[in-house]
Amino acid sequence: MLKNYQFNFELRHLRYFCVLAETLHFHQAAKHLHISQPSLSRQIQDLEAAMGVPLFNRTNRQVTLTDAGQAFYQDLQQLLDQLDASLRRTQRAARGEWGEIALTFTEVGIATALPAILRTFKRQFPHVDIKLTERPTAEQLEALLSGQVDCAFLHPVGKMPDEIEIRTIWRDTLGIVLPASHPLAERKEIRLADLKSEDFILFPRSLNSNLYDHIIAICQQAGFYPKIVAEVARRQNSVNLVAAEMGLTFLGSSLKHLCGTTTIFKPLAGVSPQLQLAYSWRKDNDSVILSQFLKVVQSTLEQINQT
């Protein structure tokens, strides 16, 4: 806004001017505005005095715009359209219907619950821009705490920071992925002890240290330390390496569709590693958009659980 605003008129003067410019008839314009004709004449005179130029030519027979009035009317229409759009955006923002939300997710999140949530939210709030990034859980927590993102779909690791609110989506049991040609592929389920001589493909420990350590621990309980020949971040790439007969990998049952014709998913007998997916946000984040998003998450998950 200009620091030294020189024109002494209000928004109502501009509205009166536009109506008169459209009708070019004082009586009709006053009737449309629900004010008296003399009052309208005074308001237009005040506007002209404030601007220092005549906006209308007035005769007993007709009212026309001056060249200055015509130029002002053309610019004013665009200005009022922008003002109207700004007011509507402001009202939508107050309702959480306009603005931006930043989300982050893991590979498991985007492969399971998140697509349905995003689809529902985008349909209900089409004017909200969604910023999406894929990150490992540790980086998601850092992004949440620093305010870079509003909500994270992650795998809880140990004790979560006190500043974070967290809600579990589901817990998944890990099984084992074998080449389809593997001698154990015909079994209904597999014991970890049967895999002590196998090579393994795991994810880097930095992605989920708790789950990584848990896998190592249950293998040791089964009598061996897993021989890790490769560490791969993306689960699809791990499955592809299994297909190449480079080793075996652990995979959540919710992602067993990643196995094609050359690999096969098998449940593990006895104690199996657990993978938890949750969504999380900062407790002090009072964003209206985030509040609307969390409502969509809850309702979408309820629908998914009912099917």
Side-chain angles (χ1 to χ4, degrees), residues 55 82 106-107 117 121 130 143 154 162 170 179 185 191 199 201 211 222 224 262 269 285-287 291 294 305:
L55 300 173
Q82 292 175 345
T106 63
E107 182 184 6
I117 293 169
F121 183 76
I130 304 173
L154 45 71
D162 293 336
W170 49 249
R191 297 181 307 141
D199 294 336
I201 300 155
L211 180 59
F224 69 99
T262 56
N285 190 337
D286 58 359
S287 165
S291 178
L294 294 176
N305 291 333

Side-chain angles (χ1 to χ4, degrees), residues 47 58 89 139 195 220:
L47 178 61
R58 304 166 177 84
R89 282 196 300 270
E139 292 183 16
L195 306 177
Q220 289 179 313

Side-chain angles (χ1 to χ4, degrees), residues 137 155-158 174 192 200-221 224-233 235 238 248-250 272-276:
T137 292
H155 309 297
V157 289
L174 299 190
L192 270 177
F200 283 88
I201 300 155
L202 287 187
F203 52 88
R205 186 177 182 275
S206 59
L207 296 185
N208 192 332
S209 59
N210 275 34
L211 180 59
Y212 187 100
D213 293 345
H214 183 52
I215 290 173
I216 299 298
I218 65 170
C219 288
Q220 289 179 313
Q221 291 173 12
F224 69 99
Y225 191 96
K227 180 185 177 183
I228 302 170
V229 297
E231 290 188 343
V232 181
R235 286 162 177 79
S238 297
L248 313 183
T249 194
F250 293 92
S272 300
Q274 299 288 317
L275 178 66
Q276 182 181 357

